[in-house]
Amino acid sequence: MASDDAHTLIQVRDVWKRYGPVSVLKGVSICLRAGQIHALLGGNGAGKSTLMKVIAGLVSPNDGTVVIGGERLERPSAAKAQRLGLYLVPQEAHIFGNQTVLENICMGLAKSPSQLRSRVIELIKQLSVSLDLDAQAATLEIADRQIVEILRGLVRQARVLILDEPTSALTPHEVEALFARMRALAAKGVGIFFISHKLREIREICHDISVLRDGAIVLSGALGDYGDDQIVTAMTRAGTGASPAASTAVNAAKGEARLVIDNLSGEGFRSVSLSLSGGEIAGLAGVVGAGRTELAETVFGLRRAHGGSISLDGKVLDKRAPARCVDAGLVYLPEDRQQYGLFLDAPLYWNASSYLMHKLPFMLSPKREREAFSRFRDAMDIKCESAEQPARRLSGGNQQKVLLAKCLAAKPKVLILDEPTRGVDVAARNDIYALVRTLAAEGVAILLISSDFDEIVHLSDRILVMAFGELEGTLPAGSSVDAIGKLAFGAREHAHV
Amino acid sequence: MFELFARNRVASLFAITILTFGIIGAAAPGFLSGNTIAVVMANSLVLMLISFGTMLVIITRNIDVSSGSVLGLSAAVLGLALNAGISLPLAIGLCVLVGAAAGALNGALVAGLGVPSIVATLGTLGLYRGLMLTLTGGRWIEALPQSIKSLASNLGWGGSVLTIIVLLVFAGLWFFLRRTRSGGYFFAVGDNREAARHLGIPARWIEFSAFVGAGACAALAGVVFAAQIGFIPNQAGNGIELKAIAANVLGGVSLLGGVGSAVGVFISVIFLTAIDSALVFLRIPAFWNDFIAGAILLSVLMLDGRIRLALDKRIRAKRYAIGHGGQNAKPASKEKAAESLHVSSEATR
């Protein structure tokens, strides 16, 4: 198959990908030329990551063709894509925990780690990061894992690099260094797909842009032809645009303080004090690894605190354990729903009542549990075949709704939501936002943890920013994403100096 | 010292083995002799080969419980071939081929069809044993020719041709796993299969090869078995797969995949066999053997587990060192972190 243009590195034509009844990609066509840095934008669940996995040979499409460097990927495989000079730096780093950092970077290459060592050291210098090459990879923090992945991409001397949100865990300084590398590579003829949520970064580094929404390309062309507004509208048109300011300004904290965290320290965070009032949505922003999940897990009794106290409605919660917290009205929705949230092979009704399992009578009554589930199903518009269906077979958005149903079944007074819309499509995401607002209106105090600063701004009555294990500051509702970013990244930048 | 032994399973196992030899030697004079070492070595050969094969599979984060039956099946093929007048080298080649084929079926089930390895090999455990019984008609294969038995005879230095073969397999495996790229892939696949796939490592192919290797090793163990015993009973190799798994665990091969070394397995097999031999020396009735071997295995593993927990706690403390750091901890101060590490390790000791 001849490519239209000798400089075309990647030509994707009319690619479809279906998971069960859900189409994640609906006839996507995109191309990448040598020396081009092509931005790919889209909301969560728009299909960006799937598209990139198709190109990298990790996922085979149901329909359509992928041509890399003039050669058609007939039976896609990662090995073949890499032989053709393509590397995907994934959003979440793949790490071999038992091997050293250097071995991790060089895994799969023809040359041995010791031969490549000097090259890797040079790249580390060019990126101006610090990394102990002989450390065991399991001990790396998330940001460093991301750097390992980026180094993997660079050391491979690929002709095509795909970077899936590479900057999410980097400091502004490191981002600058990465961009300098990307420009140098592009000047040498490397083609780069750059996936990001941050328009500012895209403006800085990219030549062209494509926007995905609900599995289809809705905007594509030279970046200079489009204004920010056009791009944002293209991304979110489906999301019924209730403007953030309008919805959040309504209720400032009015209830009394329900959850009071006083000077709490634990694994990954220290001296955190905050209070939550009934009816309030407090956003807890920060970058990955800032200690937010650790804080939530400590409050919920999953980790041991090193000091400080927590009280709920004036009563001190000591000897915390999840079951006691649930009884007291404090409920936590975990970040990783597949690993910690759902019983994937259990029926949906069983999942929905699982937080209350310790309170169920000795003789179970599936009928009553099913009825309880069907109430949630109607209220939250959970799309499923029956209450008996295993949770594994639901889409991400519906799984998340089931998880929320499980939290609500416990009748929470305080609800901690950890990344409640990760990997959730636009429609379900809006349902979840609406639900969170309704809950707050009913007097539940909500702590919303999210790395998506837009989401934080969209929902929160008050924005807390955590960085490097400490509460960096509090911002009022309607603050700009940039202001949050400054606080969230500030502390790490400090630490590097 | 603590650091070295805690981090290096092979070193600690080696020390324990030496210590055990010393204690038994003190209790039963005459144990520590060249003769004992030769006997222990010879007795360990079958388990050694099975354990090496199982190690390949466990490193890729699978398990193989069919190796005992593969041993039986391939030994039966060997015996039948020899008694049918086929020459020794050809018969051994046939035997190894059968073992590799049996391993290939395991591998095809696991890597090709995605059957969980415990299920697949539990199935073939019965399948291969049944096949062996069908081949032999349920009769023991006796009167093996002298040519195979002579493989087990002492060459004058305490070892036999079989010892040399096993040592060659040991050296080959060590070299392959530690010094070659493909060997590294075995660890990568076992450590994080998704990551390996992502880097273009042919994960399924690696898993398949591990099972084929395990089958070939089990067949070689069948050769050793036939040569040493001189006949092939129906239950040849019965239950040895579990001993091999125990030897792997003791030798530092993680059941979670991605960790292990041929040296560790080598020492651990010697250790387990030495205990068996020592019980004879200590005049403990033979029916205590399994009990004592089990008790020792448990206590070593529990001790190791404790050490590992302490280590994990250190790593955890290191990762969250900022949590201990006090007020000025913003630039994660190294000294503070180190201090808190010492505190936590003291507490766990």
Side-chain angles (χ1 to χ4, degrees), chain B residues 19-340:
Chain B
L19 199 71
T20 315
F21 269 89
I23 292 172
I24 300 169
F31 179 71
L32 290 180
S33 69
N35 186 40
T36 311
I37 292 171
V39 169
V40 167
M41 188 66 208
N43 286 350
S44 66
L45 295 183
V46 172
L47 182 60
M48 188 84 77
L49 284 169
I50 295 279
S51 302
F52 281 152
T54 308
M55 172 181 73
L56 284 176
V57 174
I58 297 182
I59 283 178
T60 57
R61 201 171 184 174
N62 282 312
I63 195 98
D64 183 358
V65 295
S66 72
S67 48
S69 292
V70 177
L71 184 157
L73 176 63
S74 47
V77 168
L78 175 76
L80 290 174
L82 285 174
N83 284 352
I86 295 176
S87 74
L88 182 65
L90 208 61
I92 290 181
L94 191 66
C95 164
V96 173
L97 210 64
V98 166
L105 177 60
N106 285 338
L109 287 172
V110 174
L113 298 179
V115 182
S117 55
I118 180 80
V119 177
T121 56
L122 260 180
T124 53
L125 170 80
L127 203 70
Y128 298 151
R129 182 66 64 187
L131 205 56
M132 173 201 183
L133 294 177
T134 321
L135 281 179
T136 60
R139 286 178 295 276
W140 293 19
I141 302 172
E142 288 169 319
L144 290 177
Q146 193 53 44
S147 60
I148 181 137
K149 292 184 202 162
S150 65
L151 290 181
S153 59
N154 195 330
L155 294 177
W157 46 275
S160 62
V161 177
L162 300 175
T163 319
I164 297 175
I165 293 176
V166 173
L167 288 178
L168 282 179
V169 171
F170 171 50
L173 257 182
W174 177 85
F175 182 81
F176 174 73
L177 288 177
R178 284 280 161 246
R179 287 281 177 271
T180 70
R181 183 150 58 101
S182 316
Y185 287 177
F186 278 69
F187 291 99
V189 169
D191 196 326
N192 188 339
R193 197 173 185 279
E194 258 322 288
R197 225 169 69 81
H198 190 95
L199 292 174
I201 295 170
R204 288 174 169 211
W205 177 242
I206 296 285
E207 287 177 315
F208 177 78
S209 321
F211 277 105
V212 174
C217 281
L220 274 181
V223 175
V224 174
F225 184 94
Q228 286 185 332
I229 310 282
F231 61 91
I232 298 151
N234 280 334
Q235 69 274 24
N238 213 352
I240 199 171
E241 59 277 346
L242 295 182
K243 258 189 160 171
I245 293 169
N248 269 278
V249 173
L250 185 64
V253 182
S254 165
L255 288 178
L256 298 176
V259 183
S261 78
V263 180
V265 172
F266 183 89
I267 297 174
S268 117
V269 170
I270 295 283
F271 176 75
L272 289 176
T273 320
I275 288 171
D276 274 355
S277 309
L279 295 180
V280 178
F281 258 86
L282 297 172
R283 295 178 199 290
I284 294 170
F287 41 76
W288 280 98
N289 275 19
D290 285 346
F291 179 87
I292 292 176
I296 291 182
L297 187 69
L298 258 183
S299 30
V300 171
L301 289 181
M302 263 162 60
L303 182 72
D304 185 73
R306 290 281 127 190
I307 294 176
R308 239 146 242 254
L309 274 184
L311 255 186
D312 280 354
K313 214 163 179 176
R314 279 185 176 205
I315 291 175
R316 215 174 141 102
K318 202 185 252 172
R319 181 180 300 169
Y320 291 118
I322 48 166
H324 301 263
Q327 285 104 350
N328 68 336
K330 209 166 226 180
S333 98
K334 281 266 158 63
E335 283 88 353
K336 282 272 182 190
E339 237 174 71
S340 58

Side-chain angles (χ1 to χ4, degrees), chain A residues 117-134:
Chain A
R117 192 183 187 94
S118 57
R119 267 261 306 286
V120 173
I121 290 177
E122 193 185 322
L123 284 171
I124 288 178
K125 269 197 203 124
Q126 286 171 348
L127 277 182
S128 73
V129 292
S130 63
L131 199 60
D132 176 5
L133 287 179
D134 299 311

